[in-house]
Structure formats: C-alpha cells, structure tokens
Amino acid sequence: MSIPLEAVIGELHIIGGARQSVTRPTAVLVAPRRAARGRPGDTLLVLVELRGPEPLPYETLVDCIGEAYWKTPGTITSALRTALVAANDWLWERNVSAPVADRFRAGVSCAVLRGAEVLIAQAGPAAAFVAHYGQVERFPVRDMVPPALGVSRGVEVRFSQAALSPGDALLLCDAGAAERLSEEAIAEVLVYTGVEAALQNLEKLTGSGDLAALVIESAAEAKTKAALEAAVDKIALVEPVRPAPAPLILQRPEPEPAALPEPVKKLVPVEPAEPLEEVEFEPITPEPVEQVELPASLEPVEPIEEIELAEPAPVELKPIEPARPVRAPAPPKPRPQPEPVAEVEEEPLEEEPIERIPWTQRVGESVAQLHLGERVRAIGGSLMAGLTIAARGIATILQRTLPEGTLTPQPRGKGMTLTLMGFAAFIPVMVAVLVTS
C-alpha cells in the first residue's frame, strides 16, 4: 500500500552573511492552464547561479527557462534540455555584443517533481544533494568541472534521477557553497531534520559568505497524518490507565524567538517509491585447485640483460614560411549562344503521274541494254580464231607423225573456206537462240 506524499519546499538566499527577504536565484513553478502535452501535473524547481556585473538578470533567465519548459511537449528530459538550451542562447546572444567585463556566466539546476520521482537536469557549475534512507549523494561528483552557460553555443546537460520516500530530502545550491561544505555537514543538515531546521543549519554554516539554496522534503499528506493520529488515539483508549509519576518542574529561561524562515510551500502530493525485494544469494563454494609438480630437470631462466637506450638527438625546428595568398580564379567568360534558326515552311511535293509501260517494251529495252549483237560477233570471232588454230595444229601433228608421201599438201580451196564459214554462222545462231529462250 503506497502512502500519498506531499512536497514541502523552503528557499534561502544569503549575501555577505545577510539573509535576503526575496530569493531571486530560486523559483518554484507550477503548470499553467495552457501547458503542452505531458506537462500538466509537473512541478518545476529552478536555481540559477549568475556571475557578472550588477544588476544580475535572475528574473529574465528564470522566465526564459519556465516558458520553454511548459511549451515543449513529450518527455521530461526533452523539455528540460530545451529549457536549458533556451537559457544558454539568451546569454550567448547578449554576451556576443557586450564587452568582456560586462558578460554573464551562469550555472543552472532544474528539478521536476512527478509522483514519487524527481528528475534533475544541470548545466554549468551546479550542485544537488539527495538524502535517501540516511545517506547523502551528490550530483555531479566534485571532480567534474563543466563549462558555464553563455560562453559557447553548445550546452552540456547532465541528468540524474531519484525516488523519494517519506523523510527524504533534496537540496539544490550554488557550486561555490557546495565546494565549501563537506558531505558530512550536508548530511547533518538534511537527514531527518525537516525544512525549517535545514534552512537554519545552512544559514549557520554559511556564516559571512554567500549562499543560494532550495530545500525540498517529501512528507506524508495531511489526511494521512490525521488518520494515523486518530488510530493512535483509539489504541490509547484501550490501554489500561497507569499512575503517572509526579511531574518534575524545572525553571528554565524562555528562549528568544528565532527568526522564522520563509513561508513553507506545499505542492502536489507525490507517491512513495515501492520498496525493493530482498533476494537471497546462495554462497559459492570454490573448487579445489590441483597442484602440479614441475620436473626437476628444468633449469632456472637467466635474467634478461638491461639495455640502455640512447637519448634521442635534438630536433631542430625551422621556421615555416607564411603561405602566399592564393588568387581567386577569374570568372569564366560567358559562352556565345547560337543564333536561333529560322523556321522554314516546307512546300508540299506534287505527285507526278506514273506512266504505264507495256511489258513488251520493257523486255525490248532490257535486251537492247545487253548489246547481244556485239557480244555474239565477239564470241563468233573468238570461236573462228580458235578453230583455225586448232585445225592448223592438228595438220602439223599429222604431217610429223605420218610417213612421208601419205599426206600431200593440197591447195586451200573453196571447200575449206565454206566449212569454216558454216561453223562461224552456226555458232552465233545457237547463242542467240539460247539467250532468247
């Protein structure tokens, strides 16, 4: 069964040992009516540490953080990161146009309460302490020195998360006070003391120094307290009445009224974290190690001789000549653009009538192109010359092979001539017949 919780908050601002009536570096912001999705129900706690010339713009920086947080939807981490980036951008834009002596540097701690959990976001020099079950833990650790806001465009955001239970406390303070105070002193201030006692103890520890602090304590809700008190009263009525001893009256001087801290602010009730289940671990029995005996024949290893390394020769550094300025290349000349081609209208071609030629005429023209007459005469002449040469060759062979007197030379007469002419006339006729067919 979870017990409803509520947060009790106290603020403290000390300058030169004097407590201020208004705490400008701290603020407690609740969700407005028109908050982004995921923001209703959150409680934003802000502590700003500023360094620079007076007057310090605490209010402007706190308003910038709150406006950016309530307008950013989504998770708590994304909204906190957006808020811290907005604060850094505002400081950076102001410092760029200002002289070095008038520039501001800042460290911011933001904490968001939702239920029984608290999420802390820090940028620049900042410190936060969480007292949980009698132990105190610091965020971040002491060795970390983050860069301040307003010195560069980039922002380094650190996130921490803790679960609160009844009696736990959270302290946000400036980095300077955190360095002066030890963790033992912080534990005596926070652990099971209450907000009013914690503020008084912090004021005593500060002395004549400066301090900006915000203390948050998780306590049981008022309705829960009333129910517990009623249950205790019923149990007391059942118990038997015991005789009370005579009262012992001591006369003590009345204490002087101490300066009361600022009014305590009650916030939205939060639920406690669920306790962790205890797990029993079984002890592990180590296995026995077997001992191995080394043979006696092994000889001892000779020690390695130490070698002295020669010192490196000094290197002479030569000055580097400054680089010559590079001339910018001349701009390229514009290319001449071709002239536009004039469009020419094409005239339609007139179709000429096609004359039809009879097939007899086309065959005659084809035959005329072959020049058959000339070709026949050339072939006839070639055949006659060949036949004449063949006849003479045969006659010569016969005269040389046959005995003398067998062949008597006869004068060439008309019969031989007619025979040759007949051959000459027959061959062209045959060629013409073949070509015509």
Side-chain angles (χ1 to χ4, degrees):
M1 178 180 178
S2 60
I3 302 175
L5 301 178
E6 64 180 3
V8 183
I9 301 174
E11 300 172 327
L12 181 64
H13 189 200
I14 300 174
I15 300 177
R19 185 170 183 174
Q20 306 297 313
S21 58
V22 179
T23 56
R24 298 176 60 199
T26 59
V28 180
L29 307 176
V30 294
R33 292 182 179 179
R34 296 182 180 180
R37 179 175 54 85
R39 302 282 73 82
D42 293 350
T43 302
L44 178 61
L45 311 174
V46 182
L47 186 143
V48 179
E49 180 182 357
L50 274 175
R51 295 289 184 269
E54 293 289 344
L56 298 174
Y58 285 110
E59 293 80 2
T60 304
L61 205 58
V62 170
D63 294 342
C64 180
I65 294 172
E67 183 179 0
Y69 181 81
W70 299 122
K71 288 184 178 180
T72 305
T75 61
I76 300 177
T77 54
S78 62
L80 287 174
R81 186 183 298 276
T82 303
L84 294 177
V85 169
N88 182 73
D89 292 343
W90 185 87
L91 290 172
W92 170 257
E93 292 176 359
R94 189 215 174 273
N95 291 340
V96 167
S97 59
V100 178
D102 296 340
R103 295 179 180 177
F104 294 107
R105 293 175 299 170
V108 180
S109 294
C110 297
V112 176
L113 296 176
R114 177 182 286 185
E117 294 183 353
V118 57
L119 186 65
I120 305 170
Q122 297 170 308
F129 297 89
V130 177
H132 186 65
Y133 291 117
Q135 298 181 356
V136 175
E137 186 177 3
R138 175 176 171 169
F139 303 98
V141 296
R142 292 183 180 272
D143 298 336
M144 183 180 295
V145 182
L149 295 180
V151 299
S152 63
R153 275 289 186 186
V155 182
E156 180 183 350
V157 183
R158 305 176 302 278
F159 293 97
S160 306
Q161 187 176 6
L164 299 180
S165 300
D168 294 346
L170 171 66
L171 170 64
L172 303 180
C173 64
D174 59 289
E179 294 299 328
R180 293 193 306 267
L181 302 177
S182 62
E183 294 186 2
E184 291 78 8
I186 296 295
E188 294 178 359
V189 169
L190 290 181
V191 175
Y192 304 131
T193 57
V195 174
E196 297 180 0
L199 294 177
Q200 294 178 2
N201 295 335
L202 285 174
E203 186 176 1
K204 292 178 181 179
L205 292 175
T206 304
S208 60
D210 299 339
L211 174 67
L214 191 65
V215 181
I216 304 97
E217 181 188 9
S218 62
E221 196 175 4
K223 295 180 180 179
T224 307
K225 288 183 179 180
L228 291 176
E229 291 176 357
V232 171
D233 293 341
K234 290 181 180 179
I235 295 172
L237 294 175
V238 176
E239 292 181 356
V241 179
R242 298 178 181 177
L248 181 62
I249 301 174
L250 299 177
Q251 295 181 359
R252 296 181 180 179
E254 297 181 0
E256 297 180 359
L260 296 177
E262 293 187 359
V264 177
K265 301 179 181 179
K266 294 186 178 180
L267 299 180
V268 182
V270 298
E271 297 181 358
E274 297 180 358
L276 300 177
E277 298 180 358
E278 296 182 358
V279 180
E280 296 181 359
F281 295 94
E282 297 180 358
I284 300 174
T285 57
E287 297 180 357
V289 181
E290 297 181 359
Q291 297 182 358
V292 181
E293 296 182 359
L294 298 176
S297 60
L298 296 177
E299 297 180 357
V301 182
E302 296 181 359
I304 300 174
E305 297 181 359
E306 297 182 357
I307 301 174
E308 295 182 358
L309 299 177
E311 297 182 357
V315 181
E316 296 182 0
L317 301 178
K318 297 181 180 180
I320 301 174
E321 297 180 359
R324 298 179 180 178
V326 180
R327 296 181 179 178
K333 297 181 179 180
R335 297 182 179 180
Q337 299 181 355
E339 298 180 358
V341 181
E343 297 182 357
V344 180
E345 297 181 357
E346 297 182 357
E347 297 180 358
L349 299 177
E350 297 180 358
E351 297 182 357
E352 298 180 358
I354 301 173
E355 297 180 0
R356 294 184 178 181
I357 301 173
W359 66 274
T360 56
Q361 185 178 354
R362 283 182 284 177
V363 172
E365 292 177 357
S366 301
V367 172
Q369 292 177 0
L370 295 176
H371 303 287
L372 293 177
E374 297 178 359
R375 294 184 180 183
V376 168
R377 294 189 194 97
I379 293 170
S382 300
L383 290 176
M384 287 180 66
L387 292 174
T388 302
I389 294 170
R392 290 179 182 177
I394 293 169
T396 302
I397 294 170
L398 291 175
Q399 288 179 0
R400 291 181 180 180
T401 56
L402 294 177
E404 294 181 1
T406 304
L407 294 176
T408 57
Q410 295 180 4
R412 297 180 181 179
K414 294 181 179 178
M416 187 65 180
T417 304
L418 291 174
T419 302
L420 296 173
M421 290 178 63
F423 275 109
F426 175 74
I427 291 171
V429 172
M430 290 299 295
V431 172
V433 171
L434 292 173
V435 172
T436 304
S437 62

